[in-house]
Amino acid sequence: MARRVIISVTNDLSIDQRVHRVATTLMEMGFEVCLVGRLRRKSKPLDARPYETRRLKFLFETGKLFYLAYAIRMFWWLLFQKADVLLANDMDSMLPNFLVAKLRGKKLVYDSHEYWTEVPELVDRGLTRAIWLWLEQRTFPRVDAAYTVNDSIAQIYSEKYKLPVSVVRNLPFKVQAQVLGVPKERLLIYQGALNVGRGIELMIEAMRFLPSYHLLIAGIGNLEEPLQKLAAARPYHAQISFTGFVPPIALRLHTQASMLGLSLEADRGASYHFALPNKLFDYIQSGLPVLVSDLPEMAAVVRTHAVGDVLLESERKPELLAAKIRAICENEDQYARYAANCQTAANTLTWENEQSRLQGVFAAFLG
């Protein structure tokens, strides 16, 4: 009988491509997989998945009451589920998984999508951050295996908690190669969460200096409404579009139709300092040159593969960002080189190549 893995997240499963890739690989390894998250009032129907999915309803959707409700309900749900391995994604799903794993003698694996206690939402909230750090200190050292998204965060956790932490990067599945060339429309794209510290406000303000360009902001998050109001108040608002929620396949079409991918996270807290986001690799996989913040992990990818340029900290001003964008997009020979390098990098920066690292983590739990 196949060993069963329950993968827990606090999102509604619809846009979390990392956990989808993990679940798919574990299923292909021979595990029986169940991915469980939450059902929100505005959640979209899930696309068909080759593994079991569950979405639980919670009375509260945000804030401390949500996390309390999640911990309690998920604990009782997990307690009576058949499972051999519990996989917690980020610290907000750890507590119920940790308690059930210890009570029932199950294996516990931790996937840290970021340096959790150093995210911008926590760095200035002393008591809240202290609570999450207290939980991390009491659970992380007692997991059976752990992995994270890049070498920098893995090294921090490994040194901090004296246990090996593997690296499984956020690489996408291989997609069909795109035709090289300069797109006719000067479309800039940001895809991902609309949360604090993502540099989206800077992108909006830069459009003032880019009259022949259009900015597509694809995603949802806590700042969705404030960002829409900010854009609407600008005289150049017609140059800025918000897609809201976009299913992964449709999002890829938006990306492939764009000219430049943006990932301009601010250097706010260690989590963003060492960020290596999904969208960077999604852009590259679609053959799209990129402009990223001068932060160590993402800048290293861009410089190593020569797939775009880096925005220095001193250049984080609307007019300087606009100048950087024009320098990339309006030099046709250089743009073509970036696009060609994306095609080369896309052949290696794939989940098909990366998943062996995940398989190495879970091989010990097959039986």
Side-chain angles (χ1 to χ4, degrees):
M1 182 178 294
R3 295 175 68 79
R4 191 167 193 247
V5 179
I6 297 180
I7 306 173
S8 301
V9 296
T10 57
N11 61 59
D12 74 352
L13 313 184
S14 59
I15 60 174
D16 195 330
Q17 290 302 291
R18 180 176 176 85
V19 295
H20 169 62
R21 292 189 291 265
V22 167
T24 301
T25 295
L26 295 182
M27 185 194 68
E28 292 172 350
M29 287 180 68
F31 288 101
E32 178 186 337
V33 176
C34 175
L35 174 58
V36 57
R38 61 164 157 163
L39 182 66
R40 309 187 69 164
R41 285 188 289 273
K42 295 183 179 180
S43 290
K44 306 294 184 180
L46 286 180
D47 53 352
R49 307 285 179 100
Y51 48 84
E52 180 186 354
T53 59
R54 293 288 299 271
R55 296 199 290 184
L56 307 180
K57 290 184 179 180
F58 298 91
L59 181 61
F60 305 100
E61 292 202 349
T62 59
K64 296 180 177 65
L65 291 176
F66 163 70
Y67 290 114
L68 178 61
Y70 178 89
I72 293 171
R73 181 159 190 210
M74 188 61 72
F75 169 80
W76 288 107
W77 189 85
L78 288 172
L79 191 62
F80 297 101
Q81 297 297 310
K82 176 187 176 296
D84 300 288
V85 183
L86 300 178
L87 171 55
N89 285 268
D90 279 328
M91 194 50 55
D92 53 357
S93 70
M94 175 66 95
L95 182 58
N97 282 274
F98 177 82
L99 294 175
V100 172
K102 298 313 173 187
L103 283 172
R104 297 183 59 193
K106 305 301 181 182
K107 298 298 184 182
L108 176 61
V109 181
Y110 182 46
D111 180 347
S112 182
H113 298 193
E114 53 195 338
Y115 190 3
W116 176 260
T117 56
E118 297 293 332
V119 297
E121 292 86 349
L122 290 180
V123 290
D124 297 323
R125 300 174 64 190
L127 178 59
T128 302
R129 179 177 177 274
I131 292 171
W132 286 114
L133 185 58
W134 178 88
L135 178 62
E136 180 185 280
Q137 291 169 342
R138 280 150 184 80
T139 57
F140 202 131
R142 298 172 64 187
V143 302
D144 295 287
Y147 60 96
T148 188
V149 294
N150 62 51
D151 292 320
S152 295
I153 298 176
Q155 183 176 351
I156 290 169
Y157 278 140
S158 183
E159 292 176 354
K160 190 175 183 179
Y161 295 119
K162 310 304 179 188
L163 79 165
V165 178
S166 301
V167 174
V168 181
R169 293 174 296 174
N170 282 324
L171 303 188
F173 289 115
K174 177 67 178 173
V175 299
Q176 184 175 357
Q178 299 302 297
V179 178
L180 298 178
V182 179
K184 293 181 180 179
E185 183 180 5
R186 289 177 175 171
L187 178 63
L188 314 173
I189 187 169
Y190 167 85
Q191 65 179 61
L194 308 189
N195 292 337
V196 65
R198 303 296 178 107
I200 307 170
E201 298 90 343
L202 178 63
M203 299 173 201
I204 291 173
E205 299 294 354
M207 297 307 294
R208 171 188 170 192
F209 305 96
L210 296 166
S212 62
Y213 289 75
H214 193 95
L215 173 63
L216 185 67
I217 300 173
I220 57 176
N222 298 333
L223 295 184
E224 185 172 4
E225 185 175 342
L227 289 169
Q228 290 174 344
K229 289 181 178 179
L230 174 65
R234 298 296 180 264
Y236 46 86
H237 60 85
Q239 295 173 242
I240 305 165
S241 299
F242 292 82
T243 67
F245 168 79
V246 181
I249 294 176
L251 179 59
R252 184 181 304 149
L253 295 178
H254 284 305
T255 305
Q256 292 171 348
S258 300
M259 190 173 194
L260 184 68
L262 302 174
S263 186
L264 302 180
E265 282 73 8
D267 194 358
R268 294 185 57 181
S271 184
Y272 274 20
H273 184 76
F274 296 117
L276 192 57
N278 288 342
K279 57 181 171 287
L280 171 58
F281 298 110
D282 289 340
Y283 295 152
I284 293 171
Q285 191 60 223
S286 291
L288 189 65
V290 300
L291 177 60
V292 305
S293 298
D294 188 22
L295 299 175
E297 289 283 348
M298 65 173 75
V301 171
V302 172
R303 287 169 173 146
T304 298
H305 296 280
V307 292
D309 206 346
V310 172
L311 186 73
L312 303 178
E313 184 63 28
S314 60
E315 297 173 322
R316 293 187 70 88
K317 300 176 183 178
E319 63 275 18
L320 298 181
L321 170 58
K324 203 87 169 186
I325 289 171
R326 288 195 302 270
I328 297 172
C329 297
E330 297 176 18
N331 182 332
E332 292 192 9
D333 290 340
Q334 177 179 262
Y335 184 91
R337 287 194 296 272
Y338 287 154
N341 291 339
C342 284
Q343 296 297 325
T344 301
N347 290 324
T348 57
L349 297 176
T350 68
W351 183 253
E352 288 81 354
N353 292 331
E354 190 73 5
Q355 66 180 344
S356 61
R357 300 186 180 195
L358 181 73
Q359 292 164 345
V361 173
F362 278 86
F365 307 125
L366 272 172

